[in-house]
Amino acid sequence: MLLHKITVSHWRSLLNEVAMGPFSERVNVVHAPNGTGKSAMFEAMRRGLFDAHHVTGGEIEAVRPWGRDLSPSVTVEFSEDDQTYRVEKIFLSGSSAKLSRLESGSFQPLATGRDADARIREILAADAPGRGLSRHEHWGLAQILWAPQGALHLEAISENVAKNVRAALGVQISGETGGQLEERIARRYLDYFTKTGKPKTGKNAAPVTGLTERRERLKAQLVELRQKQQGFEEASRTVEDARNRRDQARREADSLRQTLGGLRKQAEEYTRLKSDLKNKQESESLAKERYENLNAAKERIEATRKEITELEEKVKQAAKREGEFKTEWETAKELLEKRRSERETARARSSQTSDHLKKIETARQFLSDQSDSESLRTRLDKITNLEAELQKERKKRTETVAPDAKTVREARKLIGERDTAVASLAASQVHLTLTPETTVSVHNLTEDSSHQASPSHPLKLSGDAMVEVKVEGFGGIRAAGPEGGAEKHRDAIREAKDKLEKLCEPYGSTDPDRLDALREKAQELDQSIKAIQQKTETLLDGTTTDALSSRLAEIKARRKATLETYPDWEQNPPVLSELQSAFDQFNNEIRDTVQKAEDAFDKQQGVCTTAENQLNTHMAQLKADRKNLESARKRLEELTQDGLSDEHRTKAISEALMNWKASKETAGQLEEQLKAIPGDPAKDLEKLERQLGAHEDTENKARDDEKTAEGRLQGLAAEGAYSKLIACEEELENVDEQIGHETTKMEAIRLLHDTVTECKQAVVASVAAPLERSATQMLSRVVGPRLGRLRLDQNFVPEAIHPDLASEPVKLDNLSGGEQEQLFLITRLALAEVLAKSGRQLIVLDDVLNATDSGRLARLLTLLEEVSDRLQIIILTCHPERYRGLGGAEFFELNH
Amino acid sequence: MTVRFIHTADWQIGMKASGIGPVGQQVREARLDTINRVLGVAKERGINLLLITGDVFEDNAVDRFLVRKVGDKLSRFPGRVYIIPGNHDPLVPGSVWEHAVWEEASNVSVIREPEPIELDDCILYPCPLEEKYSTRNPTSWIDAGESEKIAIGLAHGNVEGLPDADPDFPIPRDAAGRAGLDFLAVGHWHSFATYPGADGAVRLAYSGTHETTKFGERDSGNVLVVEIDERGAAPKLESVPVGRLQWQTEETSLEREGALDSVLSGLNEIPAPESTLLRLRLNGLLYASDRAKLASVEEIVSTRFLYGIVDGQSLVPAPEDDSWIESLPVGPVREAAEKIREQALHASDEEKKAVATRALIQLFEMNEKNHEGE
Ligand SMILES: [Mn+2]
């Protein structure tokens, strides 16, 4: 297809009609800034060519300019197979389609509406979309030729387009028959598998799926049945075990019962033997007693006889020694008396020590009395002196009449009152002062008194209301003032004077200072008295003078008495330490002597007591022996009372001995019989009976267990688990076999399918080879040989590169973004060249090669120039300057 | 004085039938039916003593209905029946022998103790088993040396010297002579077998099962008719076939084109296919032209016989037979066919070979259909 002209209106940002063209058959560069509708224009071209005019939905709605009720429309003029067409389409409200063909210089309608849509697609070998807008795979060759904005990548090429490419390459992979067979295989394959090679599931699932499910169910069932079968066998075993336990318990009980029988018999025998033995033992002990009694009597007689002989000899000897013991005792007694008197003598001396002690005590008292009497005397003297002084002070105090502080205060107050009244009087009077140059006499007419006045002694005169004088040599002078008030003041003065005189009468003065002095003097005296009294009290120290005097008298009396005993102490008072040491010496001597005498006495007393004791013991022994002798004789008499002879006695003894031995033997035999029976069977019997009870219990329990287990077992047996189990196993085997069959069948078809696909791929790969070669060549012209060989898949989509240096092909996502876009552009160009063999084709490159550097871009431009011999190229860009180097390119600026 | 009896064993009622697809139930029913034939032999010959030496039932947990059926059949026998429990149906709590039918059938004795049983003209020395497995000789207790009557032992176990046999209830080869028995009837092995003594007289024998239990089982499907004239006389044995089912294994190697024709005619010659279980093993080469015949062989085997299976797993396509592949259109399909053929002939494991062969057959069929224009 070759594009001539395109007109768009109401399309996204293109509000008004925008027309572009006619385009060059070679290279065209459409440029405009971003967002001005370059891509929208080419979108409109695609929609106009490939989409049904009546398409609805969100996607086509999005094409309508925002917020306007406009119907997007597009007109495209193009050539295909030497024919020129015009397509006019309006979408959404008032949608329409019209296809015209250039016939004899003008466009003649060819089809409208849906027919027009279909006819265009036919011309362009495009596929109809199902519903909604067409997708990439519906674009026919444009899939390869037209790169939408920024999308140079080729993700997939539809089988139809691939077929076109193959056709253009002049290759046929499978003939018609081959193709049919392939289809058969594919259909068969799809009976069992999905397109991605997984076994089908759901309602179209392969039979093996159902079989496998059945197998799983059977397996689960089998497990259950096996458990049941096992349960049956276990239950059987449980019953058997219980039975064995019961049998065992019964056997044990039986054997125990047998043992018990024997044991009971034995117990009876034992009891009988025991009682026999007891009887025999009793008679044996009687015989033994008799023998022993006889024997003992004989022995006692003999012993008594021997005892008598011995005692007689002993008494005889003792009588002989009696005198010796007595003499010894007497001698000891005498010596003891001697020792006693010696001791008394010594003791008497010791009484002197108390005299000594008494003297020391007296001396100590004497000395103490001496010092006490001295101090007492001094103390009494002091007290006497103080008492005399006190007497004197008291007298002085009595003579002193003094006011107290209150009286003094009262006097002072009265004086104040008097002075105030005097002042008030003076103020109420008329005063006249005469100071003459020479001495003159003055006669007071008012009072009628005369006075002398001189310059050194001026005369002052006062009078109530008026003073009138007659001055010698001068004449009379009268001074007058206001009248009245003087009498009142004079009364006040008089009253105060009277009170004062009355108050101070006892003290002989009204002068307050004098009164104060009197008061202080009295106070001093009082204090002095008090101090003397205190001193006296201190000296008395709680006692009285009388008591002190009597104590002194007492001491004096004692001294006098002591001095009567020790008169020399008057002159030489005793020294205590001397007296004490003299006493100590004397005392030691006395003590030693007394001790010795007492020791000697005590010792002798011991000797004496021993002697006495010996004598007494001896006498007691003798007495006892005599008594024993007497009793032995009496005993012998009793023992021999029966009057039997010694021979007779011996014979009786030997007879009793034989009796005893005989009965002892009988008892021995019985004992032997008893020994054969170990222990008292009664005890064992009790134990065994208890054991038997336990066994019987065990047996009963085992029986119960057995019953329970038996019940369960019967239930399980009735189920016939084994029969169910094998039926299930058989079914499972059967299913397994069917699965095997089905699997082989499926695997066979899979093998067939996969092998055919593989072979086909190999053929396709060989078809793609020339294309790969030309693309590889172009690639190496742009990027150099580094990327090696380009590999296309069976539908010619680039899948890998194989660098010469790498052992394995490398996935495309390992390439940089720039190299990837270069590679895809080149692949598109190579494919376009193949397709262009049947006629010029349009290549649209919308905003591509953004990641390509300028060096490679220059090489790509050369390449584009080269291919523009066979291809019409439209480049949409916002960087027209990048394409300025393209020789012969037409530039279109989009402005509306 | 002559004693005559039928010795049978290993009826294995309720046994599982492995590897015969869906006909297990029919095979089990046949085992039950054949009891009638056993009793029929006795009736024909006027024998009134039936000795069954163990494994009447496959398991103690078989369906109680089966027990009832066997008991009822035996109760209708107009003679005495003596049964010893075997290792499959040992005398344990819950065993088949606790079923009421054994009380009801007054002519049938299930022997529960190893004690001699004195009959009119002989004494039985039975050895009932009480366990599934034991290394004990079950006959060791028998001491019939002093017996004046004909002494017959009944036991179940492995006669010593059997190939690959564990010492499971081992019975010495000279057990009969050692125990002073005239004849020791043994069960456990399903094939008829006799063990002659030093004097040449056979006093120890397996009767074998009355109905074959599996493919490849030799000398089975019989009962043993025994006749002993007098104490010490050599027993006369006769193995009488009673089995209803034929378990047949055919193995054919295909060597040339058209070899399946003879296989087909061979199938036609097999008598009573309705009571035959057939296992047909084919190996060798399969020619493309024979493929249709193979399908009809499979068809006949699976429909005409009680049970039939063709095992063609080891068939490989004939190497020189590639004419049809060459006729395929040039292209991926033909290439693929050649590859798969290679695999069918030379793959390392059998399964791969089988899958490849199968794939070829499928392709062959599709190609045919393609030509027919289907
Ligand atoms: Mn057995």
Side-chain angles (χ1 to χ4, degrees), chain B residues 10 12 54-55 86-88 156-157 187-190:
Chain B
D10 300 289
Q12 316 287 151
D55 287 0
N87 65 321
H88 274 266
H156 190 93
H188 193 38
W189 281 69
H190 294 182

Side-chain angles (χ1 to χ4, degrees), chain B residues 101-169:
Chain B
V101 75
W102 308 116
E103 294 287 324
E104 294 161 18
S106 56
N107 63 320
V108 181
S109 301
V110 175
I111 304 172
R112 295 164 198 273
E113 301 292 340
E115 279 163 9
I117 299 168
E118 186 159 358
L119 307 181
D120 290 344
D121 39 15
C122 62
I123 301 181
L124 302 181
Y125 292 85
C127 311
L129 298 190
E130 294 184 340
E131 289 174 86
K132 285 195 165 186
Y133 180 87
S134 167
T135 54
R136 177 180 60 85
N137 167 12
T139 67
S140 59
W141 68 277
I142 305 174
D143 179 11
E146 303 297 311
S147 172
E148 288 177 4
K149 287 186 178 173
I150 291 168
I152 302 163
L154 284 73
H156 190 93
N158 269 328
V159 171
E160 280 175 352
L162 281 168
D164 304 327
D166 287 335
D168 190 10
F169 293 109

Side-chain angles (χ1 to χ4, degrees), chain A residues 53 116 227 390 396 477 531 558 584 629 667 702 763 793 828 838:
Chain A
H53 66 282
Q227 277 168 356
L390 182 64
K396 263 191 220 167
I477 301 168
R558 196 153 58 225
D584 287 349
L629 183 61
V763 176
D793 73 3
R828 283 175 190 268
S838 55

Side-chain angles (χ1 to χ4, degrees), chain A residues 714-731:
Chain A
Q714 291 312 327
L716 286 165
E719 280 195 51
Y722 182 78
S723 293
K724 287 179 186 160
L725 174 67
I726 60 151
C728 181
E729 277 175 353
E730 283 172 8
E731 200 182 343

